[in-house]
Amino acid sequence: MTGVQHLTVGADQAEQRLDRWFRRQFPQLSQGQLEKLCRKGAVRVDGGRVKASTRIVPGQSVRVPPLPPASTTGGTDRAKVTTRPDDEALVEAVRRAVVFRDDHMIVLNKPPGLAVQGGTGQRRHLGVALPALRFGRDDDPRLVHRLDRDTSGILVLARTGAAAVALARAFRERSTEKLYLAVLAGRPKLSVGKVRYGLEKAGGAGAERMVVVHPDEVGARGEARHARTDYRIVETAGTRASCAVLRPVTGRTHQLRAHMAALGTPIAGDGKYGGRGQENAGDGWGASLGQAVSRKLHLHAWRLSLPHPATGARRSFLAPLPEHMDRTWSFFGWDLADVPDEPFVDG
């Protein structure tokens, strides 16, 4: 493409991230290239500067600068991507992860270690497998929310534009309820609590982490944002470890991980926020299980309740624990049957 284009987001295109829209329009453009164009201001929406993660809606105008031809971008045609042996294994793993499917949405139990979207240097991600989840439709299912790469559990995909709009609205307006299971290194002082620390980004590109900010100071700190996590301890192993049900009332980046670390009990296997050194927790239970288990993040999106995008009826989905968390639970003799159905019934 040799000239600047101004393209209008079509009425049949649901609200979505700008990078997803670009992938459909210009599949030869890599994620890194798009992010660079956004940083330079070459890509704009309704005349304003944007990020690749900016959400766009039908009717908006997208400025598309001259793009290099497909042969020079280093991009990979999606039809060819799934022919590699490692991608075939990924596709099969993602197909096995489907726990629910109808004409409107797909619910996955996302494996740990699988990124939801590609990025710089990120070759193995869910986007590679999306064509295998069409199940008779002509287009790929659409992401409406995200999980961190190392977090496992419930992930919802929309199969139609209308479903994508409805589901995105449900997440944005907090009409969903998300419950996570986490194994903590140690045991919090209180068995039930609410963490209200604000969160602010720190660190440079590639090393970003969230730091906690006292709630009273959030307004005075430039990019700090209010955050709240409810937690309940449901299983313990003395002071060595505990299992918590976590409810993120807000949905900030790394919220659960930063909040649990702020309590002095980081999530097991979370090297970024201090949970990898299990030797500091009692008699070192992590060493008993080995690094293959203890070095993996013990955070699982266990249950999700949300209105169905077509009927509005309330639906709930459960995701079985991943193998490494299941082994940890077995090691301590914990039982999922002991987790209350309504851990936050008192608010």
Side-chain angles (χ1 to χ4, degrees):
M1 191 180 82
T2 59
V4 172
Q5 296 185 78
H6 290 85
L7 303 181
T8 301
V9 181
D12 60 340
Q13 296 175 311
E15 177 183 344
Q16 59 190 292
R17 286 171 53 118
L18 179 65
D19 50 10
R20 182 176 180 83
W21 183 87
F22 256 89
R23 281 199 300 274
R24 289 180 178 276
Q25 309 298 321
F26 308 100
Q28 80 275 16
L29 193 68
S30 72
Q31 182 76 13
Q33 289 172 318
L34 174 60
E35 290 177 355
K36 184 176 181 179
L37 290 172
C38 289
R39 287 195 299 270
K40 290 182 174 181
V43 171
R44 293 173 177 258
V45 174
D46 287 345
R49 298 177 73 99
V50 289
K51 297 180 179 179
S53 60
T54 298
R55 302 196 74 84
I56 58 176
V57 298
Q60 288 186 310
S61 175
V62 180
R63 181 190 189 275
V64 181
L67 302 177
S71 60
T72 63
T73 62
T76 306
D77 182 77
R78 178 169 289 180
K80 297 179 181 178
V81 165
T82 57
T83 62
R84 291 168 45 125
D86 55 337
D87 290 333
E88 292 174 1
L90 170 61
V91 165
E92 181 58 29
V94 170
R95 276 181 168 268
R96 290 198 306 268
V98 174
V99 297
F100 174 83
R101 169 169 62 95
D102 66 8
D103 291 338
H104 308 280
M105 65 179 183
I106 295 172
V107 180
L108 298 178
N109 183 5
K110 187 188 81 68
L114 177 63
V116 172
Q117 292 181 306
T120 304
Q122 182 65 58
R123 172 65 182 73
R124 186 178 183 272
H125 56 88
L126 180 61
V128 173
L130 288 181
L133 297 178
R134 291 180 178 180
F135 297 112
R137 291 191 59 86
D138 293 332
D139 53 349
D140 297 349
R142 310 174 189 191
L143 290 166
V144 293
H145 68 125
R146 297 185 63 183
L147 291 178
D148 289 346
R149 181 188 65 185
D150 294 322
T151 302
S152 58
I154 293 291
L155 183 71
V156 180
L157 306 174
R159 301 193 70 194
T160 68
V165 170
L167 289 167
R169 182 185 303 114
F171 281 98
R172 185 174 60 252
E173 297 178 354
R174 300 179 188 172
S175 56
T176 63
E177 183 180 57
K178 295 175 281 186
L179 297 181
Y180 290 71
L181 289 177
V183 178
L184 308 181
R187 180 176 180 177
K189 293 180 180 179
L190 299 177
S191 296
V192 181
K194 304 179 191 299
V195 186
R196 299 179 183 272
Y197 287 117
L199 295 172
E200 183 178 39
K201 281 186 179 180
E208 287 185 347
R209 67 193 308 272
M210 306 303 290
V211 296
V212 296
V213 178
H214 191 281
D216 294 339
E217 298 178 5
V218 170
R221 302 278 286 266
E223 296 187 3
R225 304 181 70 184
H226 288 286
R228 173 182 156 185
T229 299
D230 300 340
Y231 75 90
R232 178 180 293 274
I233 302 302
V234 294
E235 296 278 13
T236 61
T239 58
R240 293 182 296 170
S242 53
C243 176
V245 179
L246 309 178
R247 179 172 64 179
V249 179
T250 54
R252 312 302 184 202
T253 300
H254 293 179
Q255 175 179 318
L256 302 181
R257 298 163 64 181
H259 274 175
M260 292 304 100
L263 294 180
T265 53
I267 296 173
D270 189 355
K272 183 181 285 287
Y273 292 94
R276 181 167 291 173
Q278 306 299 348
E279 293 77 11
N280 296 323
D283 59 3
W285 63 269
S288 301
L289 287 172
Q291 292 186 0
V293 173
S294 64
R295 289 288 179 94
K296 289 186 177 181
L297 185 68
H298 283 54
L299 179 61
H300 180 65
W302 173 54
R303 192 170 82 192
L304 175 67
S305 173
L306 79 171
H308 189 277
T311 67
R314 200 79 185 172
R315 296 295 306 266
S316 292
F317 303 97
L318 286 172
L321 291 174
E323 181 183 5
H324 70 284
M325 288 185 67
D326 189 54
R327 287 181 61 185
T328 297
W329 275 61
S330 297
F331 177 82
F332 287 122
W334 295 341
D335 190 342
L336 272 175
D338 294 331
V339 180
D341 291 335
E342 300 293 340
F344 301 104
V345 67
D346 296 328

